[in-house]
Amino acid sequence: MSGDTTPSPADQQLIDHAQQHGFTVTVKQLETWRRRKWPLLPGNKVVRLGRGKGTESRPEPEAFDLVVALARLAGRGRRPRDLALLLFAEDLPVSEAVVRAAFTAAVDDIVLSDEASPDEGAGDGRCGVPESDEERIAQASERAAAAGAMTLVPARARRIDERIARWAREKGTQWPPPELAAYDSNPEPEAFTPKDATVAMADIMLTGGPAITPDGLGGLFRAMQPEAGANPMASLAEYTMADVPEDVGEAVFDEEDGFTLLPRGDVRDALRELAATVPLEDLRAAWQADVSLHEWAVDLAERAETELDAGEPGDAVTEWTLARWLPFGATYLLAELRPSRNSQADRARSSLSLLLSRQMLRDLDQRVPGCQWELMPSLTPPPLQTLFSM
């Protein structure tokens, strides 16, 4: 019974099992972990003893491992859905429905500025509830810009970039390398600020593919680059339509649909669809890849800093430089070094985003066969190469 502090014999078995592993578990905790909305721990099963002996309750076999894990993982501020994700990450027998609900809840946390407070602005002449998709996007962009610019290049990454440039100049080497200019067809690109990126991301989240253009991608790559100068990868994006056969270009960028590999509409819907349908082994592989990606980014930063401290840039600085100039590498490296990425929901969203990227690569290979798209995964950070090749 809810509120009863006296454990049943079956619950006492679980409490004793947790105690044997060094954890104190209460009846109230067991009830919390069995709540209908987030059933992390299975209820006890009723077993018939036979021959008129009646019945008794016994814990499900998987409950013993789960109760120890829940006791270990539970802590202040951790919600049931956070625990569900952690159990899933450790390959513990949490139900599939709960796992998918936890990933979906992480996507639902993405609330854009125009959705946070529908009545905001009613007193200053602005319409609180947008009447059309265009107005909704405009409001999101306006409020995203007013809320402040996103951090494109975290302070730690910027410091490493600056130290590499300073070391090169002290050695009499021009940095960035002037040779890059020969591969950049846009000598005077339009400035793309962090605030521009903030507005663009709100637009992309609400609109999907139509919000992504070659110029927009190029501008984003340039805004993330280590230092002002030529950027061949940005130029490659900006001149996609001019540098490839027409049928190839139209397979990726369309005048109406924009970036055709990303579905038209709210990107959150695409992420929710993945959370609901992708095989659990793929979800787990993406989660593990995201964990490894974070470890790789932090380790690479530490190794590069160590070499720079010693005044002897070597393999780590070379790897850092390559990662910073390649779009995939820069995107993931910088994202993992942002201090704001520290929750289970962040990791769930990132995992789904990785699966969406993999889906787009597969779609690209089908739309334009024979273009060696299989080489694309090799241009990503090492932790993602296996996932993108699955």
Side-chain angles (χ1 to χ4, degrees), residues 207-214 250-265 367:
T207 310
I212 301 178
T213 65
E250 291 178 350
V252 180
F253 284 103
D254 180 83
E255 289 186 5
E256 292 186 3
D257 292 330
F259 187 58
T260 60
L261 302 179
L262 186 63
R264 173 186 287 270
R367 287 169 182 253

Side-chain angles (χ1 to χ4, degrees), residues 155-170:
R156 185 177 189 180
R158 191 176 299 281
R159 286 194 298 269
I160 294 174
D161 293 338
E162 291 170 349
R163 293 182 66 185
I164 292 173
R166 185 166 58 250
W167 176 85
R169 287 193 291 266
E170 289 173 353

Side-chain angles (χ1 to χ4, degrees), residues 10 13 43-49 56-61 64:
Q13 289 184 54
N44 299 318
K45 62 180 179 180
V46 177
V47 179
R48 295 185 179 278
L49 301 177
E56 71 174 14
S57 293
R58 296 176 184 172
E60 294 284 358
F64 291 97

Side-chain angles (χ1 to χ4, degrees), residues 240-292:
T240 295
M241 303 303 290
D243 293 341
V244 300
E246 184 176 350
D247 59 333
V248 174
E250 291 178 350
V252 180
F253 284 103
D254 180 83
E255 289 186 5
E256 292 186 3
D257 292 330
F259 187 58
T260 60
L261 302 179
L262 186 63
R264 173 186 287 270
D266 198 316
V267 173
R268 291 169 294 185
D269 291 337
L271 296 176
R272 292 186 186 103
E273 178 69 14
L274 287 170
T277 61
V278 73
L280 286 185
E281 56 266 29
D282 284 15
L283 274 176
R284 183 171 288 109
W287 181 283
Q288 293 169 345
D290 188 65
V291 171
S292 297

